[in-house]
């Protein structure tokens, strides 16, 4: 395999530019200048988010393909835009490459990123390439836009609002557990394989966030990056309320049940403690329930489940029958 050092930085940038191809009209200047230039969309707010992935913390190259790593690096940022109800417009990619990184590895990483960027309408318009003395480091910035009245925030909910979540929960955490135990992917069932795919190549719920935002059907929203328990706690705290979840209503991924039950693990732990599901949680006033569910039906068949409510008493709780227990913490980098 050809080391990237044999080509140099300019040649690598050229390879990225070739992959991006034609950019949409709102990108006035893309890759190749000192900075990118975007034409603002009239009457819209700009939404900007950034996130970083570190080898050994967020991914392992011996488990996951570089194409999937490139996809995930952008997907986690698109999920943040989705939680704000924003439409993607552009992305920037900064990578610190370790010694010995090959051209084939670079191409695979770029291909995974650019494929999702193109599909999501967030073309790569710039970034930075540098050398890393240690692990592979990937930092991504995503830029979106949203109308002021359609913006979703964390702090708009009120006591009495219902809590909904998209999709199914816990699949990514179960997929990580499978990879950690060196499970043979070829021997996994369909549901278990889907868990691994959800961990490695999450699908940001961009369209769902846009639809709910445009319908003005939710009072607040957040994406599930560090676990369901962490997300609803942050959501309720931002709203100045407490939250109670119904354990029986949480939509667990089928693969979680298949993996956890034989091992004597509570499947709910994967949903509450595990992260990187990148689904969306919403708070919805009861008077907007019909509007919200009507909008949710337009989200390409994406399941939407009512899992709890905001309450007056502070704290975050999960109910199992008549018993209330504190919600556990989610993933914490520090």
């Amino acid at each position: 395999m050809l080391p990237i050092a044999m080509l140099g930085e300019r040649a690598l940038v050229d390879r990225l530019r070739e992959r991006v191809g034609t950019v949409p009209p709102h990108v006035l200047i893309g890759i190749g200048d000192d900075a990118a230039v975007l034409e603002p969309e009239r009457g819209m707010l700009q939404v900007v988010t950034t996130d970083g992935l570190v080898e050994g913390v967020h991914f392992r190259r011996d488990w996951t393909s570089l194409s999937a790593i490139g996809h995930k690096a952008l997907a986690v940022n698109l999920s943040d835009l989705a939680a704000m109800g924003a439409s993607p417009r552009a992305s920037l990619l900064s990578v610190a490459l370790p010694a010995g990184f090959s051209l084939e590895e670079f191409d695979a990483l770029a291909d995974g990123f650019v494929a999702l960027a193109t599909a999501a309408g967030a073309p790569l318009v710039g970034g930075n390439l540098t050398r890393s003395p240690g692990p592979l480091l990937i930092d991504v910035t995503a830029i979106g836009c949203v109308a002021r009245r359609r913006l979703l925030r964390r702090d708009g909910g009120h006591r009495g609002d219902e809590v909904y979540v998209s999709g199914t929960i816990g699949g990514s955490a179960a997929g990580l557990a499978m990879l950690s135990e060196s499970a043979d992917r070829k021997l996994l069932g369909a549901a278990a394989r889907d868990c691994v795919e959800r961990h490695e190549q999450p699908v940001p719920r961009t369209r769902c966030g846009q639809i709910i935002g445009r319908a003005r059907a939710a009072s607040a929203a957040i994406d599930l990056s560090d676990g369901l328990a962490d997300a609803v706690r942050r959501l309720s705290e931002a709203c100045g309320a407490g939250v109670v979840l119904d354990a029986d209503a949480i939509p667990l991924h089928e693969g979680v049940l298949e993996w956890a039950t034989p091992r004597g693990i509570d499947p709910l732990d994967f949903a509450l403690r595990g992260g990187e599901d990148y689904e969306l949680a919403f708070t919805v006033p009861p008077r907007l329930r019909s509007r919200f569910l009507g909008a949710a039906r337009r989200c390409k068949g994406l399941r939407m489940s009512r899992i709890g409510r905001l309450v007056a008493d502070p704290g975050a709780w999960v109910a199992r029958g008549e018993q209330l227990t504190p919600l556990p913490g989610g993933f914490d980098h520090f």
Side-chain angles (χ1 to χ4, degrees):
M1 293 191 293
L2 183 65
I4 55 172
M6 298 290 291
L7 276 78
E9 182 180 352
R10 290 188 179 183
L12 294 177
V13 171
D14 288 340
R15 294 179 81 85
L16 283 173
R17 186 189 293 110
E18 292 170 2
R19 281 167 165 75
V20 172
T22 304
V23 295
H26 67 263
V27 180
L28 304 184
I29 299 177
I31 295 174
D33 216 310
D34 288 313
V37 178
L38 307 179
E39 181 77 37
E41 188 155 346
R42 187 175 180 179
M44 304 290 270
L45 301 176
Q46 297 296 308
V47 183
V48 183
T49 185
T50 188
D51 216 328
L53 271 66
V54 180
E55 183 178 2
V57 177
H58 301 97
F59 63 87
R60 284 179 50 173
R61 282 193 277 159
D62 55 334
W63 288 352
T64 303
S65 72
L66 279 156
S67 176
I69 293 168
H71 169 106
K72 186 172 184 177
L74 178 58
V76 302
N77 286 271
L78 295 179
S79 182
D80 286 333
L81 295 184
M84 307 295 289
S87 302
R89 300 195 81 218
S91 59
L92 296 101
L93 171 65
S94 294
V95 186
L97 302 166
F101 208 71
S102 72
L103 181 60
E104 290 83 357
E105 290 173 318
F106 177 83
D107 286 347
L109 180 70
D111 286 342
F113 185 98
V114 171
L116 179 57
T118 301
L124 179 62
V125 297
N128 186 59
L129 297 177
T130 189
R131 183 175 58 192
S132 168
L136 172 63
L137 308 174
I138 308 170
D139 189 75
V140 175
T141 297
I143 303 167
C145 65
V146 64
R148 185 180 299 273
R149 291 169 64 85
R150 296 173 177 176
L151 176 67
L152 294 170
R153 300 171 50 141
R154 293 185 184 182
D155 61 356
H158 298 88
R159 300 164 186 174
D161 286 3
E162 298 165 344
V163 180
Y164 287 80
V165 69
S166 67
T168 56
I169 312 301
S172 177
L176 175 60
M178 296 172 199
L179 292 172
S180 300
E181 294 187 21
S182 302
D184 189 337
R185 301 186 192 212
K186 296 179 182 178
L187 300 180
L188 295 175
R193 286 197 305 273
D194 187 64
C195 288
V196 174
E197 291 173 8
R198 283 174 177 242
H199 177 72
E200 294 186 323
Q201 293 185 279
V203 178
R205 302 304 187 187
T206 309
R207 185 170 182 269
C208 177
Q210 293 171 11
I211 289 172
I212 299 300
R214 288 169 184 166
R216 298 172 63 192
S219 53
I222 190 172
D223 82 322
L224 273 58
S225 54
D226 294 325
L228 178 61
D230 176 81
V232 298
R233 179 181 285 106
R234 290 175 183 268
L235 198 61
S236 65
E237 289 174 350
C239 297
V243 63
V244 177
L245 299 186
D246 178 357
D248 293 333
I250 295 172
L252 296 176
H253 188 285
E254 182 183 353
V256 173
L257 301 173
E258 291 183 4
W259 184 259
T261 304
R263 290 164 175 77
I265 301 172
D266 183 355
L268 195 61
D269 280 350
F270 282 111
L272 295 178
R273 299 176 186 273
E276 300 191 301
D277 279 310
Y278 298 107
E279 296 291 348
L280 300 177
F282 302 95
T283 60
V284 180
R287 62 183 175 80
L288 295 181
R289 184 188 303 141
S290 296
R291 182 191 299 183
F292 175 80
L293 294 177
R297 285 192 288 270
R298 302 200 299 273
C299 297
K300 291 187 175 179
L302 181 64
R303 180 177 179 179
M304 196 71 70
S305 303
R306 183 171 59 184
I307 61 170
R309 67 190 185 279
L310 297 184
V311 297
D313 294 334
W317 309 86
V318 59
R320 296 180 188 244
E322 297 297 320
Q323 184 179 6
L324 280 179
T325 56
L327 279 175
F331 177 78
D332 189 328
H333 284 277
F334 303 102

